[in-house]
Amino acid sequence: MSSVPETYAGEDGKHYPAPLAPHDDVVRDSSLFWDTLRRFHFLMGTKFMIPVIGGKELDLHVLYVEVTRRSGYEKVVAEKKWREVGSVFKFSATTTSASFVLRKHYFSLLYHYEQVHFFKARGSVYTPSTDAFSGNSPSWRPELAIVEYSPKPLNSSSESRAEETSCLSGNGTIEGKFECGYLVSVKLGSEVLRGVLYHPEKMVAPPSIPQHENAIVPFKSKGHRSGRRRRNKRRWDPNYPKPNRSGYNFFFAEKHYSLKALYPNREREFTKMIGQSWNSLSPEERLVYQNIGLRDKERYKRELTEYKERMKLRETPEVGLP
């Protein structure tokens, strides 16, 4: 069993940590799996959050066990067994494109963990050089770019879009919303860029955007500009906890993945379609996502408290011996 196929290319400046536990142990003990998975993402400097599918948190332990039982991610991709893996979870009939979503989450959250604990990979971090998850770019990696958003009136006419395009054109997708902006992906040619879309200070929402309770609207600063700047700077600490998301944000992300697979050329309509789906949910169905949002809020508060305590310890000067 080879841990590093010849078609892989190393990532610059990153190396795999040593295995945190034997593969057989993490398969048998789900608590050990969750503990080592969180520690692994911390050591790799990557963000970790449990995804939600069909209103329920995805059991990554079951997903890891089922994929490694079938000889790992590459084998499952090559033999097209994601539907077989998805059948284990017994998703509801309303959950579409489960195979696509499972593959995406496995690649982003479990692929490198699999390399270290299942294949016992060592040295530089590797990602597939062919059949990358974007489906287009052989060197795609889930990295973040910092961009600034300057709102312009939207024009649905493809002719006007062609006239406004200069040397580059791309299709952008909003994948999530947080306090100061959006998580976005932009396709430029064969390359997919993922980034954080920040709103400039003192920006006012355009009047043409309806202020609906479920609509995603540009963030409006509330003054105290210097304070906001200081907090934003601290946010770029890689150890700063990931901001919490609301129940609607989890619902939006789940439905967006499904719609993107079903209607790849209708991304402009996704926000409206998802908003209509949210409004059509029963109070019981909506409560499932709202509870997930509350748990994520508690997670953020807990991690923020731990982060602040660590920062205080760093800022405390060491007392030397006389």
Side-chain angles (χ1 to χ4, degrees):
M1 187 182 300
S2 173
S3 62
V4 181
E6 294 180 358
T7 58
Y8 282 16
E11 291 188 10
D12 297 336
K14 292 185 179 180
H15 293 81
Y16 282 129
L20 301 175
H23 169 73
D24 292 340
D25 289 351
V26 299
V27 168
R28 285 192 299 267
D29 189 344
S30 62
S31 298
L32 178 62
F33 166 81
W34 286 107
D35 178 62
T36 55
L37 181 62
R38 288 187 175 92
R39 289 164 55 198
F40 181 81
H41 278 278
F42 175 79
L43 294 172
M44 292 286 289
T46 52
K47 293 291 184 181
F48 173 74
M49 177 174 286
I50 302 174
V52 176
I53 300 180
K56 298 180 180 179
E57 293 184 345
L58 177 63
D59 191 333
L60 295 177
H61 179 242
V62 173
L63 180 60
Y64 176 77
V65 171
E66 292 299 324
V67 173
T68 52
R69 278 184 58 236
R70 294 167 174 79
S71 301
Y73 172 85
E74 290 297 315
K75 191 76 171 178
V76 174
V77 170
E79 297 183 359
K80 300 180 179 179
K81 291 186 175 181
W82 287 107
R83 179 173 296 181
E84 179 182 317
V85 172
S87 65
V88 175
F89 293 89
K90 298 180 180 179
F91 294 121
S92 66
T94 58
T95 303
T96 58
S97 304
S99 299
F100 172 84
V101 175
L102 288 176
R103 176 178 169 180
K104 183 177 183 69
H105 289 317
Y106 192 95
F107 185 85
S108 63
L109 297 172
L110 295 171
Y111 175 77
H112 293 301
Y113 182 89
E114 170 198 285
Q115 291 299 301
V116 171
H117 295 84
F118 184 60
F119 289 113
K120 299 178 174 60
R122 297 291 184 275
S124 300
V125 172
Y126 289 85
T127 52
S129 61
T130 59
D131 193 30
F133 193 79
S134 67
N136 298 308
S137 174
S139 60
W140 177 84
R141 293 194 297 270
E143 297 179 346
L144 293 179
I146 307 171
V147 296
E148 187 178 78
Y149 171 60
S150 298
K152 292 182 179 180
L154 297 178
N155 192 331
S156 59
S157 171
S158 59
E159 297 179 359
S160 62
R161 288 199 305 270
E163 293 174 357
E164 294 173 359
T165 303
S166 55
C167 58
L168 288 176
S169 63
N171 295 322
T173 302
I174 297 175
E175 297 187 348
K177 178 177 179 288
F178 63 104
E179 183 182 6
C180 300
Y182 304 105
L183 301 175
V184 299
S185 62
V186 180
K187 183 177 180 182
L188 297 175
S190 63
E191 185 175 4
V192 176
L193 303 178
R194 296 176 181 272
V196 180
L197 190 64
Y198 278 95
H199 298 292
E201 301 289 342
K202 294 185 178 179
M203 189 184 71
V204 179
S208 59
I209 299 179
Q211 301 299 316
H212 189 273
E213 63 174 349
N214 294 326
I216 296 179
V217 299
F219 173 76
K220 181 179 179 181
S221 175
K222 296 183 180 180
H224 301 287
R225 189 169 183 176
S226 60
R228 173 66 64 185
R229 184 180 294 113
R230 283 197 300 271
R231 286 195 291 272
N232 282 344
K233 286 183 179 179
R234 180 167 290 182
R235 288 288 173 87
W236 285 112
D237 184 342
N239 296 320
Y240 194 91
K242 186 173 182 178
N244 63 289
R245 296 190 290 172
S246 67
Y248 178 73
N249 291 147
F250 282 101
F251 178 83
F252 186 98
E254 176 188 326
K255 290 299 180 184
H256 189 277
Y257 286 136
S258 302
L259 291 174
K260 189 173 183 180
L262 295 173
Y263 312 108
N265 298 322
R266 298 175 59 185
E267 293 184 4
R268 284 178 171 269
E269 305 173 35
F270 286 178
T271 299
K272 181 179 179 181
M273 295 165 68
I274 294 172
Q276 292 173 344
S277 298
W278 174 260
N279 290 331
S280 65
L281 292 179
S282 66
E284 293 77 14
E285 292 173 325
R286 191 174 299 184
L287 184 62
V288 172
Y289 294 95
Q290 291 171 340
N291 287 336
I292 294 172
L294 290 175
R295 290 200 299 271
D296 191 47
K297 185 176 182 179
E298 293 300 321
R299 185 271 313 164
Y300 174 67
K301 288 181 179 179
R302 183 181 66 255
E303 293 181 359
L304 182 61
T305 301
E306 295 172 355
Y307 172 83
K308 289 180 178 179
E309 290 176 354
R310 290 196 302 269
M311 293 300 293
K312 288 180 181 179
L313 291 176
R314 290 182 183 180
E315 294 171 359
T316 302
E318 296 182 359
V319 179
L321 295 175

Coordinates of all heavy atoms in Angstrom, one line a residue, residues 76-134:
V76 N -11.7 5.3 -4.0 CA -13.1 5.5 -4.0 C -13.4 6.4 -5.2 O -14.4 6.3 -5.9 CB -13.6 6.2 -2.7 CG1 -15.0 6.6 -2.8 CG2 -13.4 5.2 -1.6
V77 N -12.5 7.4 -5.5 CA -12.7 8.3 -6.6 C -12.6 7.5 -7.9 O -13.4 7.6 -8.8 CB -11.7 9.5 -6.6 CG1 -11.8 10.3 -7.9 CG2 -12.0 10.4 -5.4
A78 N -11.5 6.7 -8.0 CA -11.3 6.0 -9.3 C -12.4 5.0 -9.6 O -12.7 4.8 -10.7 CB -9.9 5.3 -9.1
E79 N -12.9 4.4 -8.6 CA -13.9 3.3 -8.8 C -15.4 3.9 -8.6 O -16.3 3.1 -8.6 CB -13.7 2.2 -7.8 CG -12.4 1.5 -8.0 CD -12.2 0.3 -7.1 OE1 -13.1 0.0 -6.3 OE2 -11.1 -0.4 -7.2
K80 N -15.5 5.2 -8.4 CA -16.8 5.9 -8.3 C -17.7 5.2 -7.3 O -18.8 4.8 -7.6 CB -17.5 5.9 -9.7 CG -16.6 6.6 -10.8 CD -17.3 6.6 -12.1 CE -16.5 7.4 -13.2 NZ -17.2 7.4 -14.5
K81 N -17.2 5.1 -6.1 CA -17.9 4.5 -5.0 C -18.5 5.4 -4.0 O -18.9 5.0 -2.9 CB -17.0 3.5 -4.3 CG -16.6 2.3 -5.1 CD -15.8 1.2 -4.3 CE -15.6 0.0 -5.1 NZ -14.8 -1.0 -4.3
W82 N -18.6 6.7 -4.3 CA -19.1 7.7 -3.4 C -20.6 7.5 -3.1 O -21.1 7.7 -1.9 CB -18.9 9.1 -3.8 CG -17.5 9.5 -3.7 CD1 -16.6 9.7 -4.8 CD2 -16.7 9.8 -2.5 NE1 -15.3 10.0 -4.3 CE2 -15.4 10.1 -2.9 CE3 -17.1 9.8 -1.2 CZ2 -14.4 10.4 -2.0 CZ3 -16.1 10.1 -0.3 CH2 -14.8 10.4 -0.7
R83 N -21.4 7.0 -4.1 CA -22.8 6.7 -3.8 C -22.9 5.5 -2.8 O -23.8 5.5 -2.0 CB -23.5 6.4 -5.1 CG -25.0 6.1 -4.9 CD -25.7 5.9 -6.3 NE -25.7 7.2 -7.0 CZ -26.3 7.3 -8.2 NH1 -26.9 6.3 -8.8 NH2 -26.3 8.5 -8.8
E84 N -22.0 4.5 -3.0 CA -22.0 3.4 -2.1 C -21.7 3.8 -0.7 O -22.3 3.4 0.3 CB -21.0 2.4 -2.6 CG -20.8 1.1 -1.7 CD -19.8 0.2 -2.3 OE1 -19.7 0.0 -3.5 OE2 -19.0 -0.3 -1.5
V85 N -20.7 4.8 -0.6 CA -20.3 5.3 0.8 C -21.5 6.1 1.3 O -21.9 6.0 2.5 CB -19.1 6.2 0.7 CG1 -18.8 6.9 2.0 CG2 -17.9 5.4 0.3
G86 N -22.2 6.9 0.5 CA -23.3 7.7 1.0 C -24.5 6.9 1.4 O -25.3 7.3 2.3
S87 N -24.7 5.7 0.9 CA -25.8 4.8 1.3 C -25.7 4.4 2.8 O -26.8 4.1 3.4 CB -25.9 3.6 0.4 OG -24.7 2.7 0.7
V88 N -24.5 4.4 3.3 CA -24.4 4.1 4.8 C -25.1 5.1 5.7 O -25.6 4.8 6.7 CB -22.9 4.0 5.1 CG1 -22.7 3.7 6.6 CG2 -22.2 2.9 4.3
F89 N -25.1 6.4 5.2 CA -25.6 7.4 6.1 C -27.1 7.5 6.1 O -27.7 8.2 6.9 CB -25.0 8.8 5.7 CG -23.5 8.9 5.9 CD1 -22.6 8.5 5.0 CD2 -23.1 9.4 7.1 CE1 -21.3 8.5 5.2 CE2 -21.7 9.4 7.4 CZ -20.8 9.0 6.4
K90 N -27.8 6.9 5.1 CA -29.3 7.0 5.0 C -29.8 8.4 5.1 O -30.6 8.7 5.9 CB -29.9 6.1 6.1 CG -29.5 4.6 6.0 CD -30.1 3.8 7.1 CE -29.7 2.3 7.0 NZ -30.2 1.5 8.1
F91 N -29.3 9.2 4.2 CA -29.8 10.6 4.1 C -31.3 10.7 3.7 O -31.8 9.7 3.1 CB -29.0 11.4 3.1 CG -27.5 11.6 3.4 CD1 -26.5 11.1 2.6 CD2 -27.2 12.2 4.6 CE1 -25.2 11.3 2.9 CE2 -25.9 12.4 5.0 CZ -24.9 11.9 4.1
S92 N -31.9 11.8 4.1 CA -33.3 11.9 3.8 C -33.5 12.1 2.3 O -32.6 12.4 1.6 CB -33.9 13.1 4.5 OG -33.3 14.3 4.1
A93 N -34.8 11.9 1.8 CA -35.1 12.0 0.4 C -34.8 13.4 -0.1 O -34.6 13.6 -1.3 CB -36.5 11.6 0.1
T94 N -34.9 14.4 0.7 CA -34.7 15.8 0.3 C -33.2 16.2 0.1 O -32.9 17.2 -0.4 CB -35.3 16.8 1.3 OG1 -34.6 16.6 2.6 CG2 -36.8 16.6 1.5
T95 N -32.3 15.3 0.5 CA -30.9 15.6 0.4 C -30.4 15.1 -1.0 O -30.5 14.0 -1.3 CB -30.1 14.8 1.5 OG1 -30.5 15.2 2.7 CG2 -28.6 15.1 1.3
T96 N -30.0 16.1 -1.8 CA -29.5 15.8 -3.2 C -28.0 15.9 -3.3 O -27.4 16.6 -2.5 CB -30.2 16.8 -4.2 OG1 -29.9 18.1 -3.8 CG2 -31.7 16.6 -4.2
S97 N -27.5 15.2 -4.3 CA -26.0 15.3 -4.5 C -25.2 14.9 -3.3 O -24.2 15.5 -3.0 CB -25.6 16.7 -5.0 OG -26.4 17.1 -6.1
A98 N -25.6 13.9 -2.6 CA -24.9 13.5 -1.4 C -23.5 13.0 -1.7 O -22.5 13.3 -1.0 CB -25.7 12.3 -0.7
S99 N -23.3 12.3 -2.9 CA -22.0 11.9 -3.3 C -21.0 13.0 -3.5 O -19.9 13.0 -3.0 CB -22.1 11.0 -4.5 OG -22.9 9.9 -4.4
F100 N -21.5 14.1 -4.1 CA -20.7 15.2 -4.4 C -20.3 15.9 -3.1 O -19.1 16.3 -2.8 CB -21.5 16.2 -5.2 CG -20.8 17.6 -5.4 CD1 -19.8 17.8 -6.4 CD2 -21.1 18.6 -4.6 CE1 -19.2 19.0 -6.5 CE2 -20.5 19.9 -4.8 CZ -19.6 20.0 -5.7
V101 N -21.2 16.1 -2.1 CA -20.9 16.7 -0.9 C -20.0 15.9 0.0 O -19.1 16.4 0.6 CB -22.3 17.0 -0.1 CG1 -22.0 17.6 1.2 CG2 -23.1 18.0 -0.9
L102 N -20.2 14.6 0.1 CA -19.3 13.7 0.9 C -17.9 13.8 0.3 O -17.0 13.8 1.1 CB -19.9 12.3 0.8 CG -21.1 12.0 1.6 CD1 -21.6 10.5 1.4 CD2 -20.9 12.3 3.1
R103 N -17.8 13.7 -1.0 CA -16.4 13.8 -1.5 C -15.7 15.1 -1.2 O -14.5 15.1 -0.9 CB -16.5 13.6 -3.1 CG -15.1 13.7 -3.7 CD -15.3 13.5 -5.2 NE -14.0 13.9 -5.9 CZ -13.9 13.7 -7.2 NH1 -14.8 13.3 -8.0 NH2 -12.7 14.1 -7.8
K104 N -16.5 16.2 -1.3 CA -15.9 17.5 -1.0 C -15.5 17.6 0.4 O -14.3 18.1 0.7 CB -16.9 18.6 -1.4 CG -16.4 20.0 -1.2 CD -17.4 21.0 -1.6 CE -16.9 22.5 -1.5 NZ -15.9 22.8 -2.5
H105 N -16.3 17.2 1.3 CA -16.0 17.3 2.8 C -14.8 16.4 3.1 O -14.0 16.7 4.0 CB -17.2 17.0 3.6 CG -18.2 18.1 3.6 ND1 -17.9 19.4 3.6 CD2 -19.6 18.0 3.5 CE1 -19.0 20.1 3.6 NE2 -20.0 19.3 3.5
Y106 N -14.8 15.2 2.5 CA -13.7 14.3 2.8 C -12.4 14.8 2.4 O -11.4 14.8 3.1 CB -14.0 12.9 2.1 CG -13.0 11.8 2.6 CD1 -13.4 11.0 3.6 CD2 -11.7 11.7 2.1 CE1 -12.6 10.0 4.1 CE2 -10.9 10.7 2.6 CZ -11.3 9.8 3.6 OH -10.4 8.9 4.1
F107 N -12.4 15.4 1.2 CA -11.1 16.0 0.6 C -10.6 17.1 1.5 O -9.4 17.2 1.8 CB -11.4 16.5 -0.8 CG -10.1 17.0 -1.5 CD1 -9.3 16.1 -2.1 CD2 -9.7 18.3 -1.4 CE1 -8.1 16.5 -2.7 CE2 -8.6 18.7 -2.1 CZ -7.8 17.8 -2.7
S108 N -11.5 18.0 2.0 CA -11.1 19.2 2.8 C -10.8 18.8 4.2 O -9.9 19.5 4.8 CB -12.1 20.3 2.7 OG -13.3 19.8 3.3
L109 N -11.4 17.8 4.8 CA -11.3 17.6 6.2 C -10.5 16.3 6.6 O -9.9 16.2 7.7 CB -12.7 17.5 6.9 CG -13.5 18.8 6.8 CD1 -14.9 18.6 7.3 CD2 -12.8 19.9 7.6
L110 N -10.6 15.3 5.7 CA -10.0 14.0 6.1 C -8.9 13.5 5.2 O -8.2 12.5 5.5 CB -11.1 13.0 6.1 CG -12.2 13.2 7.1 CD1 -13.4 12.2 6.9 CD2 -11.7 12.9 8.5
Y111 N -8.7 14.1 4.0 CA -7.7 13.6 3.1 C -6.3 13.5 3.6 O -5.7 12.5 3.6 CB -7.7 14.5 1.8 CG -6.7 14.0 0.8 CD1 -6.8 12.9 0.0 CD2 -5.4 14.7 0.7 CE1 -5.9 12.5 -0.9 CE2 -4.5 14.3 -0.2 CZ -4.7 13.2 -1.0 OH -3.7 12.7 -1.8
H112 N -5.8 14.6 4.2 CA -4.5 14.6 4.8 C -4.4 13.7 6.0 O -3.4 13.1 6.3 CB -4.0 16.0 5.1 CG -3.8 16.9 3.8 ND1 -2.9 16.5 2.8 CD2 -4.4 18.0 3.4 CE1 -3.0 17.4 1.9 NE2 -3.9 18.3 2.2
Y113 N -5.5 13.7 6.8 CA -5.5 12.8 8.0 C -5.4 11.4 7.5 O -4.7 10.6 8.2 CB -6.8 13.1 8.7 CG -7.0 12.3 10.0 CD1 -6.6 12.7 11.2 CD2 -7.7 11.0 9.9 CE1 -6.8 12.0 12.3 CE2 -7.9 10.3 11.1 CZ -7.4 10.8 12.3 OH -7.6 10.0 13.4
E114 N -6.0 11.1 6.4 CA -5.9 9.7 5.9 C -4.5 9.4 5.4 O -4.0 8.3 5.7 CB -6.9 9.6 4.7 CG -6.7 8.3 3.8 CD -7.3 8.4 2.5 OE1 -8.6 8.3 2.4 OE2 -6.6 8.6 1.5
Q115 N -3.9 10.4 4.8 CA -2.5 10.1 4.3 C -1.6 9.8 5.5 O -0.7 8.9 5.3 CB -2.0 11.4 3.6 CG -2.7 11.6 2.3 CD -2.5 10.5 1.3 OE1 -1.3 10.2 0.9 NE2 -3.6 9.9 0.8
V116 N -1.7 10.5 6.6 CA -0.8 10.2 7.7 C -1.2 9.0 8.5 O -0.3 8.2 8.8 CB -0.8 11.5 8.7 CG1 -0.1 11.2 10.0 CG2 -0.2 12.7 8.0
H117 N -2.5 8.8 8.8 CA -2.9 7.7 9.7 C -3.2 6.4 9.0 O -3.0 5.3 9.5 CB -4.1 8.1 10.5 CG -3.8 9.2 11.4 ND1 -3.8 10.6 11.0 CD2 -3.4 9.3 12.7 CE1 -3.5 11.3 12.1 NE2 -3.3 10.6 13.1
F118 N -3.6 6.4 7.7 CA -3.9 5.2 7.0 C -2.8 4.8 6.1 O -2.3 3.6 6.1 CB -5.2 5.4 6.1 CG -5.6 4.2 5.4 CD1 -6.0 3.0 6.1 CD2 -5.7 4.2 4.0 CE1 -6.4 1.9 5.4 CE2 -6.1 3.1 3.3 CZ -6.5 1.9 4.0
F119 N -2.2 5.7 5.4 CA -1.1 5.4 4.5 C 0.3 5.6 5.1 O 1.3 5.3 4.5 CB -1.2 6.2 3.2 CG -2.3 5.8 2.3 CD1 -3.4 6.7 2.1 CD2 -2.3 4.6 1.7 CE1 -4.4 6.3 1.3 CE2 -3.3 4.2 0.8 CZ -4.4 5.1 0.6
K120 N 0.3 6.3 6.3 CA 1.6 6.5 7.1 C 2.5 7.4 6.2 O 3.7 7.1 6.2 CB 2.2 5.2 7.5 CG 1.4 4.4 8.4 CD 2.0 3.0 8.7 CE 1.2 2.3 9.8 NZ -0.1 2.0 9.3
A121 N 2.0 8.4 5.6 CA 2.8 9.3 4.8 C 3.7 10.2 5.7 O 3.4 10.5 6.9 CB 1.9 10.3 4.0
R122 N 4.9 10.5 5.2 CA 5.9 11.3 5.9 C 6.4 12.4 5.0 O 6.2 12.4 3.8 CB 7.1 10.5 6.4 CG 6.7 9.4 7.3 CD 6.3 9.9 8.7 NE 6.1 8.8 9.7 CZ 4.9 8.2 9.8 NH1 3.9 8.5 9.0 NH2 4.8 7.2 10.7
G123 N 7.0 13.4 5.6 CA 7.6 14.5 4.9 C 6.7 15.6 4.4 O 5.7 15.9 5.1
S124 N 6.9 16.1 3.2 CA 6.1 17.2 2.7 C 4.7 16.8 2.5 O 4.3 15.7 2.2 CB 6.7 17.7 1.4 OG 8.0 18.1 1.5
V125 N 3.8 17.8 2.6 CA 2.4 17.6 2.4 C 2.1 17.4 1.0 O 2.6 18.1 0.1 CB 1.6 18.8 3.0 CG1 0.1 18.7 2.6 CG2 1.7 18.9 4.5
Y126 N 1.2 16.4 0.6 CA 0.9 16.1 -0.7 C -0.6 16.3 -1.0 O -1.4 16.0 -0.1 CB 1.3 14.7 -1.1 CG 2.8 14.5 -1.2 CD1 3.5 14.2 0.0 CD2 3.4 14.6 -2.4 CE1 4.9 14.0 -0.1 CE2 4.8 14.4 -2.4 CZ 5.5 14.1 -1.3 OH 6.9 13.9 -1.3
T127 N -0.9 16.8 -2.2 CA -2.3 16.9 -2.7 C -2.3 16.3 -4.1 O -1.3 16.3 -4.8 CB -2.8 18.3 -2.7 OG1 -1.9 19.1 -3.5 CG2 -3.0 18.9 -1.3
P128 N -3.4 15.7 -4.5 CA -3.5 15.1 -5.9 C -3.2 16.1 -6.9 O -3.6 17.2 -6.9 CB -4.9 14.6 -6.0 CG -5.4 14.5 -4.6 CD -4.7 15.6 -3.8
S129 N -2.3 15.7 -7.9 CA -2.0 16.6 -9.0 C -3.0 16.4 -10.2 O -3.0 17.1 -11.1 CB -0.6 16.3 -9.5 OG -0.4 15.0 -9.9
T130 N -3.8 15.3 -10.1 CA -4.8 15.1 -11.1 C -6.1 14.8 -10.4 O -6.2 14.4 -9.3 CB -4.5 13.9 -12.0 OG1 -4.3 12.7 -11.2 CG2 -3.2 14.1 -12.8
D131 N -7.2 15.1 -11.1 CA -8.6 14.9 -10.6 C -8.8 15.6 -9.3 O -9.4 15.1 -8.3 CB -8.8 13.4 -10.4 CG -10.3 13.1 -10.2 OD1 -11.2 13.9 -10.7 OD2 -10.6 12.1 -9.5
A132 N -8.3 16.9 -9.2 CA -8.5 17.7 -8.0 C -9.9 18.0 -7.9 O -10.7 17.9 -8.8 CB -7.7 19.0 -8.1
F133 N -10.3 18.4 -6.6 CA -11.8 18.4 -6.3 C -12.5 19.5 -7.2 O -13.7 19.4 -7.4 CB -12.0 18.7 -4.9 CG -13.4 18.4 -4.5 CD1 -13.8 17.1 -4.3 CD2 -14.3 19.4 -4.4 CE1 -15.1 16.8 -4.0 CE2 -15.6 19.2 -4.1 CZ -16.0 17.9 -3.9
S134 N -11.8 20.5 -7.6 CA -12.5 21.5 -8.4 C -13.0 21.0 -9.7 O -13.8 21.5 -10.3 CB -11.6 22.7 -8.6 OG -10.5 22.3 -9.4

